[in-house]
Amino acid sequence: MSQQNSSGNRDGSAGAANTGPPHSAPAKPIQIKVVLLGDAAVGKSSLVLRFVNDEFQENKEPTIGAAFLTQKVRLDDTVLKLDLWDTAGQERFHSLAPMYYRNAQAAVVVYDITRAQSLDRAKSWIKELQRQAKPNIVIALVGNKLDLVADQENEEAEDADADADADADADADTDAEHTTATEGKERQVQTSTARAYAEESGLLFLETSAKTGEGVVETFTEIAKKLDLNQIASNNQAARPGQLNSGSANVNFLSEGSQSEQRNTDGCAC
Amino acid sequence: MDEEYDVIILGTGLTECMLSGILAVEGKKVLHMDRNDFYGGESASVNLAQLYERFRNGAKPPAQFGRERDYYIDLIPKFLMTGEGLVKVLVYTNVMRYLTFGSIATSMVYNGGKIYKVPSTPTEALMSSLVGILQKNKARSFFSYLQEWRENDAATHQGLDLNRNTMSEVYAHFGLNEDTQEFIGHAMALHLDDKYKTQPARATCDRIIMYANSAARAMEDKRNSPYIYPHYGLGDLPQAFARLSAVYAGTFMLDTPVDEIISDQGVFVGVRSGEQTARAKQVIGDPSYFPDRVRKTGRVIRALCILRQPIPKADAQSAQIILPQRQTGREHDIYVTCLSKAQEVCPDGVYLASISTIAETNNAPESEIGAALKLVGDIVEKFVWVSDVFEPTGDGTKDNVFISRSYDATSHFETVYDDVKDMYRRITGNELVLKNRNEN
C-alpha cells in the first residue's frame, strides 16, 4: 500500500477523479493499465464513457476504432493516467486474448445486477485473472445497472415497461442476444451476496449506474487508492509497451512513424 | 455466425491475424474462427503444461521447473529486426502499443567449432576476426558499394546489375572469399543455405542493407544486437493483431470447429460449423484447414531445451547463434536461440534454448542437430519434433480460397511478411500500402 493510500487524503473529495493535471506537482503521471471485463452487455463501455466523458448513450453501438480511453486521476500529489482498455467485443464468443489482461495493474469486472448469470461470468473472469494476471492486480467487482431497479426499490413501479426497453440495451457492448436478458428489471443479484463474495476474494466491491453516474467515479478512485503506486512506478520505468526496452535505453518505436503518443493522452486513443 | 461477411478467416496464426487486422481497418466485415481455444495456432507461445501435453502425452511437468503458467514457449522460434517489414506494420497499425519489446543480448556465429560475436555493423565487421586480414579492404569496398548504390544512378552500379547479376558474380567482383561470403550471406543476409548465390543479387543486397540499418539503429540505442523480441513470447504478436481486428469490428470465435468449407461450382461461398453457416466472398486460412489444397514442401526440425544456465561461451540472458551449413557439413544452417526471465518467458534460473533447421535426411532428427545440442551445454529436459511445411496449390484467384504458407525455418519474419503482402495482393487486387492509423 503506497503512502498516498494510507494517508487516505486524496485531493478534493467527490470529483477528485476527474480533475485535470495538478497545479503544483510537475512529476510525470503514473501510467496504469485498467482492463474492463465481464459478460457482453453488462455495461463495460458505458461505465468507461461515463467516467471519461461523463456521458451516457442509450442503445450504444459497439465502439469501432477505439482501443482504449484514458482519464487522469489525482491522488494527493500524484497524478495517475488510467488507460482504460475495453474488450473490443472479443468476450462475445469467449475469445478474449490473454494479452489483453495479462499485464494489467487493475481490472474492473462488471456484472449486471438484473442478471444473475452475469455474476457467474464475472466470477470466472476473476478466477482467470487470479491465474493469469499480475499477482498484485487490483480487482474491483462492479454490479452495474442500479438505475434499472431504482424505480422498483424506491417507488412502486409506475410505468415500468416504458423505460425498460430503452434501458435494456443501453449498455450493450454487442448488439445481439441480449434483448431478452435485461427485459425484466428485477434485481437478481442481492448486494449482500455479491459483497460477501468480493470480501472473501479480496476484491473491491461497488454497485453502479453508468446511466445516472452513481458509483462510477468512486469505482475508479477506490482502485486508484488501492494500487501500489511505488511498485508500479518503478516497473513502468523498466518496461513500457510500445517501446523497445533495452537496459537503460528506452526507444520509442512510435517516433518512427509520424503518429505520436500525444494524440492518445486524452480522449479516444486509437 | 449465421451471417454474411466480406471475408472469413480460419486459424489465428500470425499471418492470418495480420491480414485480419489490416482488412478490418480497411472496413471489411471479418469473421475470424479458430478450432483451438487459444490464439496463435502454430505461432502460439505455449505454457509448460501445454508443452507436456503436446510432446509428453499429457504427463505433468516436474515441480522443479516452477509454475507452468510462467512459461511462454514459442513453437516457432524467431526474432525481429527493427528494420524488417513486420516491425513497420506494427508501427503503422499502432499495434506496437499493445506489446512490450526488449532486445536480444547477443548475436553469435559458429566458426571452426567456436562461437564469435557477429559484428553488428560493416565497420565492426572489418575489425572482426571472422573477416581475414586480406579480405578487410575488399569487404570494405563491398559495404561502401551497397551504401552508395542508388537504383536510378548507373554511376553507382560499377557495371553490375543487381537485378540480373547473381550474388556469386557480385562476390567475385569484389574478390570476397568463402569465409567472408559465409559471414555476409548467412550471418547478415540470414540465408539458410547457399542457393541464394545463383540467384539475382538484389534480394540478398536488400537484406544486407536491412541488417545494417537495424544494426546501426541498435548501436544508437546501445543495444548489442539488431534483434528484438516481445515480452511474453511471440504468441503476443497474433493476439495483438487480433485485437486490432476486433477494435475495427472483426468478430472472433475461438474453440469453434470448422466442419465444412462450402463451395458452389468451385468457388468459395461459406463455412459450416455444426449447424451454423457463415457466408462470405472470400476465405483465408492456414494450411491445416485446407488439407486437400496444399502440398508438402519440406520438413523443419525443431528442439526445445530447458537449461539451468546460459549457453556456455554465449553467457548472456538471451542470444542468437547461427551455425552456417558449411561449418557443420550440412546444406542448411542451424539456428539456436536462447531466452530467459529477461523476456518474461520463463521463471528465474531457467533458460530456454530453441534449435531449428530444415530436415535433410530421414534419420533421427537429433542426429541432424548434434552440433547445436552440444553447443547449448547441459540440458535438463529436451523436446524434439519435426513439422511438415506446406504451401497452397492454388493462388485463390479462381476459387476465392487464400491459403497461407507454413512458417519456415528462418530466424526472422521476412518470409511471413512476404506471404502477407502476396496474399493481400491476391485478395484485394491492390498492393499493401502501409499508412498511419490516424483516423479517430
Side-chain angles (χ1 to χ4, degrees):
Chain A
M1 190 64 59
S2 71
Q3 288 163 341
Q4 286 92 342
N5 296 346
S6 52
S7 77
N9 178 28
R10 61 187 157 81
D11 178 62
S13 45
N18 280 319
T19 54
H23 316 291
S24 50
K28 257 182 96 176
I30 302 176
Q31 199 169 351
I32 311 281
K33 177 175 175 179
V34 185
V35 294
L36 274 288
L37 288 167
D39 212 348
V42 294
K44 298 183 292 296
S45 302
S46 295
L47 279 171
V48 172
L49 282 176
R50 168 61 74 193
F51 177 53
V52 175
N53 297 338
D54 198 21
E55 65 181 30
F56 181 80
Q57 296 167 14
E58 304 280 353
N59 302 313
K60 189 187 156 305
E61 290 288 317
T63 320
I64 293 182
F68 56 82
L69 292 161
T70 67
Q71 177 64 290
K72 286 181 181 150
V73 176
R74 183 147 33 134
L75 208 62
D76 292 345
D77 294 336
T78 314
V79 177
L80 309 185
K81 187 174 146 229
L82 303 184
D83 287 342
L84 302 155
W85 289 57
D86 213 338
T87 57
Q90 279 179 303
E91 80 285 11
R92 191 165 149 203
F93 298 105
H94 302 184
S95 301
L96 200 53
M99 180 211 70
Y100 169 72
Y101 49 86
R102 194 196 312 106
N103 57 356
Q105 279 105 4
V108 181
V109 183
V110 187
Y111 66 95
D112 172 353
I113 58 171
T114 67
R115 202 148 48 90
Q117 221 184 354
S118 69
L119 179 62
D120 296 336
R121 189 74 198 128
K123 287 179 178 176
S124 71
W125 276 120
I126 287 158
K127 252 188 226 147
E128 175 69 5
L129 287 171
Q130 286 165 343
R131 284 194 311 174
Q132 289 262 41
K134 288 171 181 278
N136 51 356
I137 185 170
V138 173
I139 304 174
L141 178 66
V142 170
N144 190 35
K145 305 199 185 180
L146 265 181
D147 53 280
L148 289 183
V149 301
D151 293 347
Q152 283 191 341
E153 288 178 357
N154 298 335
E155 318 151 25
E156 308 70 21
E158 319 165 5
D159 186 5
D161 290 340
D163 292 351
D165 292 331
D167 292 353
D169 288 335
D171 290 320
D173 284 272
T174 64
D175 42 5
E177 75 203 283
H178 294 289
T179 35
T180 53
T182 47
E183 261 165 13
K185 296 202 294 182
E186 303 258 317
R187 179 189 270 274
Q188 287 190 0
V189 180
Q190 294 309 314
T191 310
S192 54
T193 317
R195 173 169 288 134
Y197 164 74
E199 277 171 11
E200 197 180 296
S201 313
L203 321 170
L204 293 168
F205 172 70
L206 294 98
E207 286 188 343
T208 60
S209 164
K211 187 174 180 181
T212 67
E214 188 178 350
V216 175
V217 168
E218 289 79 357
T219 297
F220 293 96
T221 30
E222 287 305 309
I223 287 172
K225 281 158 64 180
K226 205 181 171 189
L227 290 163
D228 185 345
L229 296 175
N230 292 333
Q231 198 197 357
I232 290 167
S234 62
N235 283 351
N236 278 2
Q237 231 152 25
R240 292 192 51 196
Q243 296 190 334
L244 173 58
N245 306 280
S246 59
S248 56
N250 273 356
V251 180
N252 193 343
F253 270 119
L254 301 174
S255 63
E256 266 190 6
S258 67
Q259 77 269 53
S260 73
E261 282 281 303
Q262 281 172 347
R263 38 181 298 280
N264 306 312
T265 49
D266 291 294
C268 172
C270 48
Chain B
M1 69 175 269
D2 276 320
E3 275 181 65
E4 174 93 30
Y5 297 84
D6 291 320
V7 58
I8 296 172
I9 303 182
L10 306 177
T12 52
L14 180 57
T15 307
E16 286 71 32
C17 286
M18 284 176 77
L19 286 166
S20 184
I22 291 166
L23 294 171
V25 168
E26 290 179 358
K28 292 273 197 329
K29 187 176 176 189
V30 174
L31 173 65
H32 204 142
M33 300 161 67
D34 195 312
R35 64 167 84 84
N36 298 315
D37 63 359
F38 57 89
Y39 279 93
E42 286 302 298
S43 31
S45 304
V46 300
N47 68 35
L48 205 58
Q50 291 168 318
L51 188 76
Y52 272 76
E53 193 178 301
R54 194 180 271 244
F55 298 115
R56 293 283 189 273
N57 287 321
K60 286 286 286 178
Q64 64 147 321
F65 292 140
R67 287 199 342 168
E68 294 163 2
R69 287 178 174 275
D70 288 341
Y71 286 81
Y72 296 89
I73 299 167
D74 301 329
L75 297 173
I76 315 276
K78 284 178 189 291
F79 288 146
L80 291 85
M81 278 188 278
T82 49
E84 74 177 54
L86 173 59
V87 172
K88 290 203 180 81
V89 180
L90 286 167
V91 170
Y92 283 113
T93 55
N94 241 336
V95 164
M96 197 60 117
R97 73 162 63 253
Y98 304 148
L99 303 161
T100 304
F101 275 88
S103 63
I104 294 302
T106 185
S107 165
M108 308 193 78
V109 63
Y110 181 80
N111 186 295
K114 293 187 193 157
I115 52 177
Y116 297 86
K117 185 176 184 301
V118 177
S120 37
T121 61
T123 324
E124 264 187 50
L126 301 175
M127 323 232 303
S128 166
S129 55
L130 289 168
V131 178
I133 298 275
L134 298 174
Q135 282 284 297
K136 288 194 194 292
N137 269 334
K138 295 171 175 166
R140 180 179 294 125
S141 309
F142 173 64
F143 289 131
S144 14
Y145 171 77
L146 287 186
Q147 214 159 24
E148 281 153 29
W149 185 85
R150 296 288 175 276
E151 177 131 45
N152 299 322
D153 184 358
T156 66
H157 294 182
Q158 293 188 19
L160 289 168
D161 181 351
L162 295 188
N163 292 316
R164 295 186 60 182
N165 285 113
T166 64
M167 199 59 206
S168 275
E169 288 164 346
V170 172
Y171 282 145
H173 177 87
F174 289 97
L176 301 176
N177 69 16
E178 280 285 316
D179 286 331
T180 312
Q181 290 178 24
E182 176 180 286
F183 159 70
I184 291 172
H186 293 259
M188 291 182 94
L190 302 174
H191 285 298
L192 288 175
D193 55 40
D194 270 350
K195 284 190 213 114
Y196 78 96
K197 288 187 183 178
T198 56
Q199 291 160 2
R202 180 65 188 273
T204 299
C205 291
D206 284 346
R207 289 168 76 156
I208 297 166
I209 292 166
M210 193 270 279
Y211 180 93
N213 288 343
S214 302
R217 180 78 198 271
M219 289 270 284
E220 283 172 28
D221 305 346
K222 301 188 175 56
R223 286 180 283 123
N224 290 324
S225 86
Y227 299 106
I228 58 172
Y229 183 85
H231 286 185
Y232 304 107
L234 297 175
D236 268 20
L237 294 172
Q239 291 184 43
F241 281 107
R243 178 167 167 87
L244 174 68
S245 176
V247 164
Y248 281 84
T251 301
F252 282 81
M253 298 178 79
L254 298 186
D255 205 7
T256 304
V258 174
D259 296 316
E260 191 184 352
I261 310 284
I262 308 166
S263 292
D264 183 15
Q265 298 180 355
V267 177
F268 170 80
V269 291
V271 169
R272 182 176 65 80
S273 175
E275 315 245 292
Q276 302 198 79
T277 301
R279 303 178 75 83
K281 299 167 196 82
Q282 296 175 313
V283 67
I284 296 170
D286 74 52
S288 70
Y289 290 88
F290 305 95
D292 302 337
R293 298 175 197 241
V294 294
R295 65 177 152 250
K296 186 171 146 184
T297 56
R299 295 176 306 136
V300 179
I301 300 172
R302 295 192 172 93
L304 177 87
C305 306
I306 302 179
L307 317 178
R308 281 297 186 184
Q309 66 289 314
I311 292 179
K313 306 289 196 302
D315 200 28
Q317 296 300 304
S318 55
Q320 166 161 286
I321 306 170
I322 298 171
L323 289 73
Q325 23 93 269
R326 209 163 54 104
Q327 300 291 334
T328 56
R330 291 169 44 78
E331 286 171 33
H332 300 91
D333 295 0
I334 305 174
Y335 283 96
V336 177
T337 64
C338 183
L339 299 169
S340 66
K341 173 69 179 167
Q343 289 75 38
E344 306 281 4
V345 295
C346 59
D348 261 329
V350 172
Y351 295 80
L352 301 175
S354 294
I355 299 170
S356 50
T357 190
I358 291 173
E360 295 173 1
T361 69
N362 286 318
N363 302 339
E366 282 189 42
S367 66
E368 293 204 38
I369 54 172
L373 287 168
K374 203 170 143 204
L375 193 71
V376 301
D378 290 336
I379 296 168
V380 185
E381 186 61 272
K382 182 174 59 187
F383 304 83
V384 184
W385 67 97
V386 180
S387 314
D388 290 333
V389 177
F390 296 100
E391 66 177 17
T393 51
D395 67 4
T397 47
K398 285 207 180 70
D399 54 8
N400 282 338
V401 176
F402 301 90
I403 304 167
S404 60
R405 312 169 78 94
S406 304
Y407 301 100
D408 60 26
T410 56
S411 63
H412 50 79
F413 286 97
E414 286 294 83
T415 49
V416 176
Y417 182 51
D418 287 344
D419 198 25
V420 167
K421 282 190 294 188
D422 184 43
M423 290 178 74
Y424 179 89
R425 185 186 310 115
R426 285 183 273 127
I427 292 161
T428 65
N430 303 313
E431 294 293 326
L432 175 60
V433 179
L434 296 175
K435 285 181 299 226
N436 281 340
R437 240 179 86 206
N438 268 338
E439 70 280 11
N440 253 315

